[in-house]
Amino acid sequence: MDPGFRLDGRYRLERRLGGDAGGRAQVWEGRDVLLARRVVLKTIPLERAGGDRAPRLEFRDGAQAAAGLAHPGIVTTYDYGEADGPDGSGLTLPYVVTEFLDGRTLAARLQAAGTGTAGAFASGEAVAVCARVADALAAAHAAGVVHGALEPASVFLTADGVKVVDVGLAGLLRDPAAPGGTRSAPSPFMAPEQLAGQDAGPEADVHALGVILARCLGPGAVVPEEVAEICARCRSARPAERPAARELAEALEAAVPAGNVLPAAVPERDSPDRTGAMLAGLREWARGRLGVALGAMAAAGVALAVVPLLMVVMSFASPGPTGGVAIPPPVPGRPSGPPGMDTMERGASPGRTAPPAPEGRRSPSRGARSSEAAVNTLARMRRSIDLGIAARQIAPREGTELATLVTTLLNRLDAGEPVDLDRGVDELRDRIARCGPREIDPVRAGELHALLAELDGPE
């Protein structure tokens, strides 16, 4: 794949960030042209026909596990999909989309020390960083998710704190057999049981963090006795002798010197004025949808077949009074945040309540509803969700789940497939109602409920 290639028409590849030693995965800096933000895209190119389906299913399951983790020290997972590779490649591209992190990796910080292995931090900084990593691991382990390949390159030092990447995905992104049948060199952070061929468990993550802490401290570092003792326990050859991640996090947090500050990272933020970029992205995405619709019309020779698609495009790119995309007015009282904080979640302003969700279920038959009207309403709902995510009125995890449900209904209706719209509307209504104000802003939730009411029709 080359820069400029798009996954599903939405995610544009811009710069190759690398891949694992076995050559299995590709990691790219990219652009979400719909929401106008930088993202990281990780994909495993697989044969489209006759290939092994297991890696794709494992990758999808790993992405789902990662998306279920909500912790400030774990990178946010935005989306998962499967796209066709470049024409003629015969490849299918399962991919996962995560937030783009401004800062540098712990590996780069260690390298900057000159030796590449030790002494990059004062002891207080090293303990503080590893305490944050241990806390993130403890949250993942509590959810049944293991990192499996923790190393300094997996830890980012950002202006927003310490972030761990590839939780739940690291083992899937790495291929133990490099091209040509030779095996990749073992990582110095792997636990003895991993080197013996066993699957990584939570104890392997703790072992890796113990090695990382020792590297950060450097030989001969003077640290409290309890830190030296727990660091040695982490690196025990016997998994049962290692502390749990939660115990490690609490011990390290207690040892952080008062007033210690985390190492600074120089962020490369997006422009503070994100509105113009977001509008441009919406127009670019809508033009792409229009091109697809016209191409389908030419191939089928039936103009009526694309009327619903054209309505979708118009709903995403309908001009406002000044010729741009019609954007809902800003919500009064919403606190502003630093530019580029794509994943910050905020609660609702005090005193604001959402219009109540309709009580109870609708009758099984909601009356006659035209397919075109339903498509138009679902398209407006998808736009409302996307704008809610961009305005930080909907948390990324909940927004992704809602957008997936709406898009599935919309695409099936658009393709003329039989759809149980009643059931889909009820599921969407229930998901929105279960979310609190930190997941969906009350005013945005009211707007979504109003759109769902349009799909109810006469009883």
Side-chain angles (χ1 to χ4, degrees), residues 391-403:
R392 304 178 189 120
Q393 296 170 329
I394 303 178
R397 175 184 170 186
E398 285 72 19
T400 299
E401 292 176 352
L402 289 172

Side-chain angles (χ1 to χ4, degrees), residues 26-113:
Q26 292 189 17
V27 183
W28 289 79
E29 177 185 341
R31 190 80 178 173
D32 180 344
V33 299
L34 176 57
L35 297 183
R37 62 180 173 189
R38 286 190 295 178
V39 294
V40 172
L41 299 147
K42 298 173 184 180
T43 180
I44 302 177
L46 300 171
E47 294 295 332
R48 185 179 299 130
D52 184 4
R53 296 180 69 242
R56 178 177 64 82
L57 296 177
E58 291 175 356
F59 192 46
R60 181 199 64 191
D61 292 346
Q64 289 177 342
L69 300 174
H71 187 277
I74 298 176
V75 69
T76 302
T77 297
Y78 291 145
D79 197 5
Y80 170 84
E82 296 176 15
D84 290 333
D87 292 341
S89 67
L91 295 176
T92 185
L93 304 172
Y95 64 88
V96 64
V97 185
T98 65
E99 65 176 312
F100 183 90
L101 297 177
D102 291 313
R104 58 177 173 173
T105 67
L106 180 56
R109 176 66 185 267
L110 288 169
Q111 188 66 35

Side-chain angles (χ1 to χ4, degrees), residues 19 50 53 73 127 140 148 160 179 226 240 271 290 305 317 321 333 336 353 355 365 383 409 417 429 444:
R53 296 180 69 242
V127 172
D160 304 322
E226 57 271 23
S271 168
L290 179 60
S336 61
T353 58
S365 173
R383 180 177 65 177
L409 288 173
E417 298 178 11
R429 181 173 284 118
R444 181 66 66 175

Side-chain angles (χ1 to χ4, degrees), residues 358-368 429 453 455-459:
E359 296 182 0
R361 298 278 184 176
R362 296 289 181 177
S363 61
S365 173
R366 290 187 168 95
R429 181 173 284 118
L455 295 170
D456 288 334
E459 297 194 4

